[in-house]
Amino acid sequence: MKTRSLLFALGMVLCTSLLAQPLSASDNKSVAKEDTLWIRNGDRHLFGLISRPQYVQGKMPVAIIAHGFNGTHHFGRNYFETLNRLGYQVYTFDFACGSVNSRSDNNTMNMSILDEQSDLEAIVRYFKQQPDVDASRIVLIGESQGGLVSALTAASMPKDISRTILIFPALCIPDNWTARYPNLSDIPDTTRLWNVPMGRRFFTEVRDINVFKRIGKYKRPVLIVQGDKDPVVSMKDSERAVKIYKDARLHVIPGAGHGFKPKEFEESLQQITLFLKED
């Protein structure tokens, strides 16, 4: 368990209207428009980018992309073209305190899984109220720590999320850090991961998160994509999650680690496309 915890520490850096119709233009710039979109969650202001398909009549589904540890909205842009062509609006954002480069708030000493869940819930509520969004088709896509947050959010809002996609989700975070710091007195004021400072709160909070007890509250379709050479997230965790969910599938990419190479990412996009076309 200690070895797995250390591996996680090293790998976390690596983060009744007409329905929309799929797009077929060859240049995504000609079929989608990208804009800055700030969303408020209480006193926190979340920076993000939204890519909207053009020439689509009626309300559109929306996919919300949650980055991993010390990531930003930039990685989510890799999903724009594929999802726009499926008729989805796509929103990628910076968690407040989720990264030293976050445009929402870069004070990682205040990083919190519970705050990130609250931020994602606020984003879901925002899109539910938008006139151009099909509120019955809101999809969460989360990578690594963002996968954990997406899984927790889907479980807390099971009627609001139509499908959930977890990319090498770090469902192991609570267990790993509890093993690293078995007693509250073991938790230092500051923990540094790849020179990213994190405060004591992060580690005290995760002790009370029973991931596998919570996620089963979500009954709608789930796709998990993971590499079988992931040194950070155990395949056993993803296999366990699939058994807990009512409707879930696990796609394993041979040889892939925690973070996909271009061909591996393309394979994940293919699986996501097939999964969303079922909706």
Side-chain angles (χ1 to χ4, degrees):
M1 182 66 73
K2 289 183 179 179
T3 299
R4 186 175 167 202
S5 175
L6 291 173
L7 285 171
F8 178 70
L10 293 173
M12 283 176 73
V13 176
L14 287 173
C15 11
T16 58
S17 297
L18 294 174
L19 297 178
Q21 298 297 315
L23 303 170
S24 59
S26 59
D27 182 0
N28 195 55
K29 292 182 179 180
S30 69
V31 297
K33 181 181 179 183
E34 184 178 308
D35 295 299
T36 297
L37 176 60
W38 291 83
I39 296 177
R40 176 177 292 186
N41 180 24
D43 61 355
R44 293 200 295 278
H45 297 264
L46 306 173
F47 172 84
L49 297 176
I50 187 164
S51 182
R52 296 183 176 93
Q54 301 297 292
Y55 315 113
V56 177
Q57 294 183 327
K59 296 185 176 184
M60 291 174 280
V62 63
I64 303 168
I65 316 293
H67 66 74
F69 174 82
N70 202 36
T72 69
H73 66 280
H74 288 293
F75 105 90
R77 299 181 73 180
N78 294 323
Y79 292 88
F80 280 2
E81 181 174 357
T82 295
L83 297 179
N84 287 157
R85 293 181 190 286
L86 292 174
Y88 279 78
Q89 298 186 55
V90 189
Y91 184 64
T92 181
F93 66 101
D94 291 351
F95 278 116
C97 306
S99 167
V100 295
N101 297 307
S102 172
R103 291 185 60 178
S104 301
D105 186 336
N106 66 0
N107 182 7
T108 56
M109 286 293 291
N110 288 332
M111 187 186 297
S112 162
I113 294 294
L114 298 185
D115 280 355
E116 292 189 359
Q117 179 182 339
S118 175
D119 286 345
L120 188 51
E121 290 172 352
I123 292 170
V124 172
R125 289 193 296 270
Y126 170 86
F127 281 109
K128 282 184 63 179
Q129 299 172 357
Q130 300 311 300
D132 63 344
V133 170
D134 179 352
S136 69
R137 299 173 70 199
I138 296 177
V139 174
L140 300 184
I141 302 177
E143 177 186 272
S144 194
Q145 183 168 302
L148 169 62
V149 175
S150 295
L152 294 174
T153 300
S156 71
M157 310 177 76
K159 295 182 180 180
D160 299 316
I161 309 303
S162 63
R163 288 177 178 255
T164 300
I165 300 170
L166 309 176
I167 310 299
F168 40 83
L171 305 177
C172 55
I173 287 177
D175 287 344
N176 280 359
W177 286 112
T178 299
R180 176 75 174 271
Y181 300 132
N183 303 301
L184 285 173
S185 59
D186 296 326
I187 304 173
D189 290 336
T190 303
T191 296
R192 287 185 175 271
L193 299 179
W194 287 75
N195 206 33
V196 177
M198 301 169 66
R200 200 167 186 274
R201 178 188 171 200
F202 181 98
F203 306 99
T204 58
E205 285 182 345
V206 297
R207 298 170 68 86
D208 297 323
I209 300 177
N210 189 327
V211 175
F212 295 100
K213 183 177 180 180
R214 291 192 188 187
I215 63 175
K217 296 178 181 179
Y218 184 72
K219 307 299 183 183
R220 294 183 176 182
V222 177
L223 170 66
I224 301 177
V225 182
Q226 185 177 347
D228 64 2
K229 299 301 181 183
D230 193 325
V232 176
V233 178
S234 170
M235 285 293 300
K236 292 182 179 179
D237 288 333
S238 292
E239 291 167 352
R240 181 181 177 186
V242 168
K243 293 178 181 178
I244 290 173
Y245 281 122
K246 180 181 179 180
D247 182 2
R249 68 198 71 174
L250 170 62
H251 180 78
V252 179
I253 300 180
H258 198 72
F260 295 151
K261 298 176 182 178
K263 288 185 178 180
E264 296 165 348
F265 183 70
E266 183 60 33
E267 182 174 339
S268 75
L269 287 179
Q270 292 171 358
Q271 293 300 313
I272 290 171
T273 298
L274 293 173
F275 181 66
L276 293 179
K277 282 185 174 180
E278 296 173 1
D279 192 4

